[in-house]
Amino acid sequence: MKKIALGLSSLAISVAAATAHAGEVEVLHWWTSGGEAASINVLKDLMTEEGHTWKDFAVAGGGGESAMTVLKSRAIAGNPPAAAQIKGPTIQEWGDLGFLTNLDAVAEQGQWDVVLPQVVSDVMKYDGHYVAAPVNVHRVNWMWANPEIFKKAGASIPTTWDQFFEAADKIKAAGFTPLAHGGQAWQDATLFEAIALSKGSQFYSAAFVGLDDATLRGDDMIDVFKTFKKTRDYVDSGFSGRDWNIATSMVINGDAAMQIMGDWAKGEFTAAGKKAGIDYVCYAAPGTSGQFTFNIDSLAMFQVDDENAQGAQQDLAKLMLEPTFQETFNLNKGSIPARLNMPRDKFDTCAHASMDAFLAGSSTGDLVPSMAHGMAVSSMVQGAIYDVVTNFYNNESMTAEEAVDRLARAIKASM
Ligand code: BGC
């Protein structure tokens, strides 16, 4: 009798401990496509297994523009979610406003300073303290291609922009859409920055990190705008308003030959059961082999009052850095783990190429932050660039010379 009573009371204690610890985290993110949802579900499940409650706050719209608008209105109302998908310099903006919570204890326990490359850990800190946890590193300057279409059109995979247009002419003549593209400002910016990168990492950095006026107005930038506009002739007429993942499905389904898009596109191929090197191929965007525009996804943690929610937040941050999570998440997402020294065997050739380019680029200056994906400039400057780039793409009469002038002025006004 005594034994049973003892057993029960220890059970009661452990249940109480678990309940005291269990909390709810509301997570705002924009991972709503097939591949993205499969990735975030891994984290959801892990949190639920830990006894926590995951309150999903998904705001559709790739690239995160809509999600950021929703986040701002929640924060202004004094009710931000516990965690939000925030990246790059935007983390600093939220830190400046005093919204973020300190994750140093978890980071120290997990040795984040040791297991993360500095280019990643720097972004996760505000004022020297961890306030966000990274899940991955995306490479943005990728080209995804359907090899069957290339074969049918008698075209070769392009490695320069000149070759791109040669191949695109053949593909068009064979009755396919050469370039799968959607109609959102961030998709335009993704294509635009890939073309800019092909002018060299130094040029890219001077333009989008240094915001150097002479570079922004120079002949190379005029050329970038011209090439960018030329791609418009190789996009189908239905592109306006199209989501990025629908554009990816055009390559998957054999309607379009190529898409210039970050490796979250690979998540869509994976979710559709397609294999790299067989059903589709990945190449660096033309003229950018060996270069790497990085885009690190992270969840920043907001200050919350509830103690259980605070505990759940810390657990969430801890789980995100666990090697098993980093592996499974990134196999689904198309990116590579943010942690260093992870086993590579389960990853495909595209991920291996990305891992190699990341490591090599770190010492050659070819690892540069993605402007289009919020890693290079403040949200104000990014918005200004988006506006010029998108207006130019959709305005037949604006010349490349006018565009660089607008770009330089818009950047200056938003700095
Ligand atoms: C994010 C990716 C996401 C993509 C499309 C990017 O800005 O970093 O995680 O898959 O947008 O939604």
Side-chain angles (χ1 to χ4, degrees), residues 30-31 36 62-63 87 138 244 264 295 297 333 373:
W30 65 87
W31 287 318
E36 291 174 335
K87 306 186 299 184
H138 272 300
W244 68 274
W264 46 92
N295 170 23
D297 282 317
K333 191 74 170 68
H373 292 277

Side-chain angles (χ1 to χ4, degrees), residues 197-339:
L197 187 68
S198 74
K199 294 281 182 192
S201 303
Q202 259 185 348
F203 166 81
Y204 178 96
S205 298
F208 301 132
V209 183
L211 304 177
D212 173 58
D213 196 66
T215 309
L216 292 168
R217 292 175 178 279
D219 288 346
D220 275 344
M221 192 58 92
I222 293 177
D223 214 35
V224 169
F225 272 100
K226 283 185 178 158
T227 305
F228 176 55
K229 185 62 107 7
K230 199 168 168 193
T231 64
R232 185 84 161 64
D233 295 338
Y234 299 91
V235 166
D236 69 312
S237 57
F239 86 105
S240 167
R242 178 186 290 142
D243 283 337
W244 68 274
N245 52 316
I246 306 298
T248 310
S249 70
M250 292 167 66
V251 180
I252 296 176
N253 298 336
D255 297 326
M258 300 171 269
Q259 184 183 21
I260 308 282
M261 184 52 65
D263 43 21
W264 46 92
K266 201 181 77 183
E268 299 306 297
F269 285 98
T270 306
K274 304 292 179 191
K275 295 269 175 285
I278 301 166
D279 307 305
Y280 68 98
V281 289
C282 57
Y283 284 84
T288 71
S289 95
Q291 292 169 282
F292 194 120
T293 28
F294 67 84
N295 170 23
I296 305 162
D297 282 317
S298 46
L299 294 182
M301 305 295 168
F302 281 70
Q303 284 165 20
V304 287
D305 291 334
D306 183 76
E307 263 181 40
N308 291 338
Q310 289 169 3
Q313 248 177 352
Q314 302 285 323
D315 278 357
L316 175 62
K318 182 168 141 256
L319 281 172
M320 287 166 66
L321 265 286
E322 296 286 345
T324 44
F325 166 73
Q326 290 256 329
E327 182 176 79
T328 318
F329 178 89
N330 285 299
L331 286 169
N332 285 311
K333 191 74 170 68
S335 37
I336 59 174
R339 273 185 87 109

